[in-house]
Amino acid sequence: MDELRSKYLTLIAEAGDEAALETLRVQAVGKKGEVSLQMRELGRMSPEERQVAGPKLNALKDEINSALAAKKQALSDFALDERLRSEWLDVTLPARPRRQGSIHPVSQVTEEVTAIFADMGFAVAEGPQVETDWYNFDALNIPGHHPARAEMDTFYMHRAEGDDRPPHVLRTHTSPVQIRSMEASGAPTRIICPGRVYRADYDQTHTPMFHQIEGLAIDRDISMANLKWVLEEFFTAYFGTEVKTRFRASHFPFTEPSAEVDIQCSFEGGTVKVGEGDDWLEVLGSGMVHPHVLKSAGVDPAEWQGFAFGMGIDRIAMLKYGIPDLRAFFDSDLRWLRHYGFAALDVPTLHGGLSR
């Protein structure tokens, strides 16, 4: 046993690299190593012999393992010293620039859209995200039996027993802002209303929370022709190419007449290209503001008229930047931003460009 100890401690001390050290470990304390084989012989010894040989073998095994660990650390330290002597680093050099943080696509598109409408004279109006039942539905001519007022479609705020206040909801659209704005400022008016809205829906093109922008223009002689011009100017500026629109008759409680608006596009290779081709894609709802809505906001429909429209900010961001799934905006690793062309610290300006 003393011979084994002397043999392996000497060999370990002389080992020149970690590969040689591993070979020695296997030879000494591996499954078939010399020390391991001697430990197997303990079963053939008498109790008295085991009582003497067992502790000595365990002590030898521990000593060899300690010597192996110490030599491995020494080899590692030596390699590091050699590397430090051979390599040179100028710590005074400035670090490579790294961009940190980024503007979220929804925020960027909101700024882009706001800038475009600002050029057409639209001011930005905002309102609360928790709305009364009256502002969210009644003032907008939405009847009590309308499906949007069901709890399966709308998030209603909890009411304690005995609470006799009007029902409150997480707003389902930014249309209540139109009512509040007209109540505060009257007519004429020209506003857009961007913000978060909430609906009980979740799939590839719907999320429980999403972003919407609505527009409202009230004056004495506004018509559907003005609405069409505004929307075509907006889409052309937003997509950077001339975009034709198509109006289809529809029904919304808050407008009369009402129209779904389609934009010209083509579908090629699973992607949508806006402003070309013979296909059409529905992107928003619009129409002339219903007289009941004007009355609810304190505006005389016999003197004033106007148009309103609403679209999803997330959806037009998907169209412009080729993002296939709306849910990716909110529940994905944000490294995908770079994949879709959003670089860190790209800051949209109020003139539609990007500053870095």
Side-chain angles (χ1 to χ4, degrees):
M1 203 172 296
D2 289 338
E3 290 180 3
L4 281 177
R5 178 180 179 278
S6 177
K7 170 187 174 181
Y8 281 109
L9 291 182
T10 300
L11 291 172
I12 290 170
E14 295 174 350
D17 54 43
E18 291 192 19
L21 205 60
E22 176 63 15
T23 300
L24 289 173
R25 186 195 67 79
V26 173
Q27 291 175 356
V29 293
K31 282 187 177 182
K32 297 181 180 180
E34 291 187 72
V35 177
S36 300
L37 291 175
Q38 287 209 18
M39 295 187 76
R40 291 181 188 178
E41 296 297 321
L42 291 173
R44 299 177 185 177
M45 297 180 184
S46 65
E48 293 78 11
E49 291 173 326
R50 281 199 301 272
Q51 194 171 8
V52 175
K56 289 184 178 180
L57 284 169
N58 282 327
L60 175 60
K61 183 178 180 181
D62 290 342
E63 190 174 2
I64 290 175
N65 279 329
S66 295
L68 287 166
K71 184 63 177 179
K72 184 175 182 179
Q73 183 62 48
L75 289 171
S76 177
D77 292 344
F78 177 78
L80 179 59
D81 290 340
E82 286 295 308
R83 182 180 174 189
L84 291 174
R85 277 192 291 268
S86 62
E87 294 182 0
W88 180 81
L89 176 66
D90 185 354
V91 295
T92 65
L93 286 173
R96 294 185 179 92
R98 293 183 62 189
R99 290 173 173 172
Q100 296 180 350
S102 61
I103 300 297
H104 193 278
V106 171
S107 300
Q108 179 166 309
V109 169
T110 301
E111 291 291 339
E112 292 175 4
V113 171
T114 300
I116 293 169
F117 281 114
D119 286 341
M120 291 188 278
F122 286 81
V124 175
E126 296 180 323
Q129 296 180 43
V130 178
E131 271 292 6
T132 66
D133 194 62
W134 189 84
Y135 277 107
N136 199 76
F137 295 122
D138 294 329
L140 294 164
N141 200 40
I142 300 176
H145 57 78
H146 195 280
R149 303 185 76 145
E151 290 189 0
M152 64 181 296
D153 286 336
T154 297
F155 295 106
Y156 280 84
M157 307 302 292
H158 174 73
R159 302 176 70 190
E161 186 175 352
D163 187 350
D164 58 357
R165 292 177 301 171
H168 282 67
V169 300
L170 293 180
R171 66 183 183 188
T172 59
H173 43 191
T174 56
S175 300
V177 180
Q178 299 180 17
I179 302 296
R180 291 180 177 275
S181 179
M182 285 189 286
E183 283 182 338
S185 304
T189 189
R190 193 183 304 179
I191 59 169
I192 54 170
C193 315
R196 294 186 184 92
V197 295
Y198 306 84
R199 297 180 191 176
D201 209 350
Y202 187 74
D203 58 31
Q204 187 174 355
T205 56
H206 300 84
T207 52
M209 185 279 293
F210 58 102
H211 301 82
Q212 192 177 60
I213 187 164
E214 300 195 9
L216 173 72
I218 302 294
D219 213 318
R220 287 187 170 85
D221 56 357
I222 287 181
S223 68
M224 290 285 282
N226 301 125
L227 168 63
K228 185 175 178 65
W229 179 86
V230 165
L231 293 178
E232 288 189 346
E233 287 292 304
F234 164 72
F235 286 125
T236 297
Y238 177 70
F239 289 107
T241 184
E242 184 178 356
V243 179
K244 295 179 181 178
T245 61
R246 180 179 70 175
F247 280 39
R248 288 181 292 106
S250 186
H251 169 73
F252 303 111
F254 28 80
T255 53
E256 180 61 38
S258 304
E260 301 275 7
V261 179
D262 305 332
I263 57 175
Q264 177 193 15
C265 68
S266 66
F267 296 92
E268 296 179 3
T271 61
V272 180
K273 294 183 179 180
V274 176
E276 61 180 60
D278 299 322
D279 293 312
W280 298 92
L281 180 68
E282 184 267 315
V283 288
L284 61 86
S286 65
M288 298 298 289
V289 180
H290 198 290
H292 290 175
V293 175
L294 293 175
K295 287 180 181 178
S296 297
V299 174
D300 184 1
E303 184 178 359
W304 304 97
Q305 64 186 37
F307 63 74
F309 59 86
M311 70 185 89
I313 296 175
D314 317 284
R315 288 188 178 181
I316 62 173
M318 292 170 67
L319 281 176
K320 182 171 182 175
Y321 296 103
I323 300 170
D325 194 322
L326 178 62
R327 295 168 291 190
F329 283 126
F330 311 111
D331 58 9
S332 293
D333 186 334
L334 291 184
R335 284 177 293 185
W336 59 262
L337 286 174
R338 289 192 295 272
H339 176 74
Y340 291 110
F342 291 91
L345 298 182
D346 279 353
V347 181
T349 70
L350 290 180
H351 302 290
L354 294 177
S355 65
R356 296 175 186 258

